[in-house]
Amino acid sequence: MKSATNAYTQESGSETVELNFGHGQKFKRQDQLNRRFLGFLACFVILVLFALVALLFREAWPAIQESGDIFFTDSYWDPAAEIYGGLAFIFGTLVTSIVAIAIAAPVSIAVALFINEVLSKRWGRFIGIFVEMIAAVPSIVFGLWGLFYLAPWVKDTLTPFLKSTLGFIPLFQGPSFGIGIMAASLILAIMIVPTISSICREVFKTVPGHQKEAALALGATRFEMLKLAVLRPSFSGIVGASVLGLGRALGETMAVAMVIGNNPQISSSLFAPAATMASVIANEYAEANSDLHVSALCLVAVTLFIVTFIVNSLARLVVWHNERRHLKKGGV
Amino acid sequence: MLLALSAVIVLAPLFLVFQYVFVMGATSLSWDFFTQLPAPVGETGGGMKHAILGTLYMVALSAVISVPIGVFCGIYLAEYGKGKLASLLRFSIDLLTGVPSIVIGIFAYILVVVPLKSFSALAGAFALSIIILPIVTRSSEEILKLVPQHIREAGLALGLPRWKVTYFIIVKGNLSGLVTGIMLAISRAAGETAPLLFTAFGSNFVNLQPTAPMASLPVQIYTYAISPFEDWQRQAWAGAFVLICLVLGLNLAARLMINGRKLKRKLEKRKAFKAQREESL
Amino acid sequence: MEIRNMHKIILCALTLVFSFSSYALTLNGAGATFPYPIYSKWISEYKKVNSEVRINYQSIGSGGGVRQLLNQTVDFGASDAPMSDKNLSKSKANGWPLMHVPTILGAVVISYNVEEIKDNLKLDGELIGKIFLGEVTKWNDPAIQELNPGMELPDKDLLVVRRADGSGTTAVFSEYLSKVSEKWKNKVGSGKSLRWPTGIGARGNEGVTAMVKQTDGTIGYVELAYALQQNLSTAMVKNKAGEFMKPTVDAISKAAAGKKEYGEDLRMSVANAEGKGVYPISAFTYILLPMKEQDDKLEATKNFLVWALTEGQKMAKELHYAPLPDKLAKTIIERLK
């Protein structure tokens, strides 16, 4: 608390002008009380967060001691024999999220461009709201749709198609139940498209109109204009949006748990069942047999937490960096 | 146009999801669904009364816990947002937003279920409140930061203490914006499944006590969806339909409030402008 | 929004939140999905007999039931697999002994969903072991053909469905497999959670049934009631006497009839039982009762169990479970008192 008096500080350029409204000591105690009260609540919230992290680590500690060495290197997860190698879950989480991003990023860019550039203002707003509504749909509903509609479609339609066209790649070989990495990645992709595309829309809006006009004036086709004047300068924004979407995909539990197949294994086929860190916690936590099992699941939670933290921080860094660049350039 | 085609191909699955859920869900709805408890396994009939009430109860409880704290933290960040504590708070809130909801469920289990030695609606509400808190804080901060500085100055110039300016002018004047943020947060919490799996657990009847296990709509949908009983699966779709209506309803209402405000402001500006013009004539 | 209306809304919300609906006694139980169909029938019938008591049973799998019981977050547990000695001593350490109460007999059946194959596939222990070890990948594998000469087997992928959660059904199934397949015993063993070499994991008997029902080419193991309720094909399994038996209530009863001794703590197994007309993958399922100091809840639970062991047994056949042998039911009721 820098200033004890009732002062506002205004920043204009590089100067800091203190505005003192001459209340002096009159309301000092009341305002201090208010500020302390608010500060206390803030401390409470921060405490809650640290409690979360601390408790999680404390619960996971026995597992770190016992299985810490194999957890990150071995995919053998056997609760009955008390062997907890978690690599299969890390694999499952990463693969589904990466495939989801690979599908969702180009799609989101296309949707964002479509809404911004092609549609009229009214239609653009309408479709934009529609896409954002998708972001509000609870993940259990996506899981339901995935289980009853998407998984059979993947088994009956998509798998034969991919096998006939790309079947020489090991990624697309092997038997397909419908549920598995492919279905989970598709659902994730659908779920993160709204997130990525709404950020992309904001980023695309910041491109100054004269850039686009200049490109057109130089003879570019509509598509080239979009590529040069809109996509290229927004590149870091797009990356930031994608990374944010990745962060969301990593933590997704229910929709994935319902269509991933719950088989902790590392396989080279996209049609194979797998398990993710979130799905194993959802499936096994309520009935973990032993303390070590619970602890191992908490270790999975810690790993998940750290991974999402890193990815989200990265996204924020990229977005922040992008904003700084725009400000520096004196952009809009 | 190529772009149009690709975007349509892309938007189609999004649209499909909606359409499928609405069709499957709306056709499975019945009056029984809202008023009956589940029938024994394998028999047809019964409903999700307990789950709907459970969701409403837990969401209300979690809102009571976290909304005041969230709004106050948002006020703190907007008014005193430049100190070290404020930066730490912002960091914590950002961190909390990114935590997967299943991890929050574990936290609630450790903190509430184990000491109480029972699954409870309280534990579920606690987990939901941790989900609601960062959203409310963020949105409150954003709304309140938008208030132009001169309003604060005017309040102070009139001789009010700063806290009165904060609460009676700034907060009171932007209530609808705050409520919008709260509604969005609540709609998010209403749809969460993972944190309730091992906190509120589940129940087969209505028992609205905070210390008892309680059913909730998303968890009930999950249980029914992975079952082989066709009647249960139908009910899962009906439940999903109700859940979507609830969540999207809140969302749209929140949006309408914001747009309503914007429209009001636009109309006011236009009126003021017209009045100005007439004066000068 | 007007402040006045806000006050009203908040008041309503608070009253809703803190209104305590006074109901009679509530018992919370959790565990096996194996007997869930009949438990849920018993619970709804018992409510008619005694409206003072409400029983809330969550079907989360035997592993979950044991865990929640040891954590004391439920009043009773349910498991098809008897508790291990380790867990029993844990509960003793908590301060109260656990009683195993056998409630009903059921069977683990091998269910499959293949368009071309009707309801009369024959399997033996050795082959089942191979299938669930992942060594049989196609439906027209010679091993299957050998046991089913003359049957048209399609050239389809054979997809295994098993449990993802800690399951008493899995324990029963794997115990049987360990007895009949040396390879299974060495490679996988028995227990509620196994290191499955293959297959999709589903949650609960419900999940496995759903998965098999929805996907062509699948094979899985579920409790009899689930398979019959959903009209799934069930395989004929070779028993110790060499006969290929369809899982029926009679065949299950015969499996238990051979048991003369009931054991001190009522932990029993009838897997791969001797005798003719026996279905080899039959099993008891237990309610796990913590014998704490006599209080209302324990009293109420005991009363419910006594009802289930007498009146409840009459509903068993209809739901495709086999009632307990009379002598056993009487012994249990004696011990409960």
Side-chain angles (χ1 to χ4, degrees), chain A residues 157-219:
Chain A
T157 315
L158 187 63
T159 309
F161 172 70
L162 285 175
K163 277 193 177 170
S164 61
T165 50
L166 298 166
F168 53 91
I169 311 176
L171 276 181
F172 298 106
Q173 289 169 0
S176 165
F177 291 74
I179 60 180
I181 297 180
M182 176 61 59
S185 309
L186 283 173
I187 292 257
L188 279 179
I190 295 181
M191 290 173 79
I192 60 178
V193 160
T195 313
I196 304 180
S197 76
S198 62
I199 300 182
C200 281
R201 276 184 66 198
E202 296 301 313
V203 171
F204 293 162
K205 273 192 199 152
T206 63
V207 171
H210 58 78
Q211 295 258 30
K212 295 193 266 187
E213 291 164 16
L216 287 173
L218 287 170

Side-chain angles (χ1 to χ4, degrees), chain A residues 8 10 30-31 34 132 309, chain B residues 95 153 156 163 167 255:
Chain A
Y8 276 115
Q10 266 190 352
Q30 292 178 6
D31 290 325
N34 179 41
E132 281 175 29
F309 174 60
Chain B
L95 199 62
E153 294 168 14
L156 286 172
W163 66 273
Y167 293 114
R255 257 169 219 282

Side-chain angles (χ1 to χ4, degrees), chain C residues 24-306:
Chain C
L25 198 58
T26 305
L27 296 171
N28 288 313
T33 60
F34 186 91
Y36 187 42
I38 194 164
Y39 283 1
S40 119
K41 180 81 184 184
W42 280 349
I43 289 171
S44 81
E45 290 297 313
Y46 188 66
K47 212 169 22 165
K48 300 179 189 161
V49 168
N50 181 357
S51 57
E52 290 288 300
V53 175
R54 285 198 313 186
I55 306 172
N56 175 21
Y57 181 80
Q58 294 296 310
S59 156
I60 58 172
S62 303
V66 169
R67 160 89 184 289
Q68 298 313 323
L69 187 66
L70 289 175
N71 281 351
Q72 304 182 60
T73 42
V74 290
D75 299 314
F76 64 88
S79 166
D80 322 312
M83 295 244 309
S84 64
D85 290 325
K86 192 170 84 175
N87 281 334
L88 274 178
S89 55
K90 231 191 241 174
S91 87
K92 270 225 185 85
N94 276 343
W96 27 265
L98 261 182
M99 180 176 169
H100 284 86
V101 181
T103 48
I104 204 83
L105 279 161
V108 178
V109 305
I110 312 293
S111 246
Y112 54 92
N113 176 2
V114 185
E115 232 181 294
E116 293 84 345
I117 303 180
K118 296 294 168 240
D119 207 14
N120 46 5
L121 189 69
K122 292 200 180 88
L123 299 171
D124 71 358
E126 202 56 59
L127 181 55
I128 300 176
K130 273 204 200 137
I131 291 177
F132 283 89
L133 278 170
E135 291 170 11
V136 175
T137 52
K138 289 253 181 212
W139 278 101
N140 58 357
D141 191 285
I144 306 182
Q145 191 76 73
E146 202 186 316
L147 284 178
N148 297 277
M151 192 182 275
E152 279 281 336
L153 297 172
D155 181 30
K156 272 190 186 158
D157 286 327
L158 185 145
L159 307 167
V160 168
V161 183
R162 39 77 177 179
R163 294 285 288 271
D165 47 342
S167 153
T169 315
T170 304
V172 168
F173 183 54
S174 55
E175 192 194 340
Y176 163 76
L177 279 180
S178 298
K179 284 190 173 166
V180 297
S181 165
E182 200 59 39
K183 210 171 188 187
W184 177 271
K185 186 165 168 200
N186 294 332
K187 226 176 159 206
V188 183
S190 67
K192 293 205 284 282
S193 297
L194 299 175
R195 214 269 155 145
W196 288 96
T198 182
I200 293 241
R203 290 195 59 117
N205 269 301
E206 299 94 336
V208 176
T209 315
M211 196 75 351
V212 171
K213 187 171 172 186
Q214 284 163 349
T215 322
D216 189 58
T218 45
I219 188 170
Y221 62 94
V222 293
E223 207 282 326
L224 179 60
Y226 288 92
L228 290 182
Q229 263 178 8
Q230 301 303 314
N231 293 322
L232 291 180
S233 309
T234 56
M236 306 205 285
V237 181
K238 195 173 184 181
N239 65 11
K240 209 163 184 183
E243 310 159 312
F244 284 97
M245 289 305 301
K246 221 42 180 135
T248 60
V249 173
D250 287 324
I252 304 172
S253 294
K254 291 216 175 84
K259 205 99 180 128
K260 300 297 173 205
E261 285 270 311
Y262 292 138
E264 182 54 46
D265 56 3
L266 297 175
R267 288 190 286 169
M268 302 174 281
S269 160
V270 286
N272 208 27
E274 304 261 353
K276 285 197 159 273
V278 160
Y279 182 74
I281 329 181
S282 310
F284 287 101
T285 185
Y286 306 87
I287 291 233
L288 304 167
L289 197 59
M291 307 294 267
K292 301 185 180 170
E293 347 78 43
Q294 190 72 2
D295 66 350
D296 287 339
K297 282 196 170 175
L298 187 60
E299 185 73 35
T301 319
K302 280 187 181 169
N303 288 338
F304 170 66
L305 287 173
V306 169

Side-chain angles (χ1 to χ4, degrees), chain A residues 34-97:
Chain A
N34 179 41
R35 188 167 180 167
R36 290 235 167 88
F37 165 67
L38 290 176
F40 168 72
L41 279 180
C43 286
F44 177 69
V45 171
I46 298 173
L47 214 79
V48 163
L49 173 77
F50 280 109
L52 190 155
V53 178
L55 278 178
L56 219 57
F57 269 95
R58 188 194 73 180
E59 290 293 311
W61 184 242
I64 298 178
Q65 282 181 312
E66 283 276 330
S67 320
D69 46 345
I70 59 163
F71 185 79
F72 295 100
T73 51
D74 196 350
S75 67
Y76 185 61
W77 176 271
D78 189 349
E82 304 264 27
I83 301 180
Y84 299 109
L87 195 60
F89 306 117
I90 302 176
F91 167 80
T93 307
L94 288 178
V95 167
T96 47
S97 305

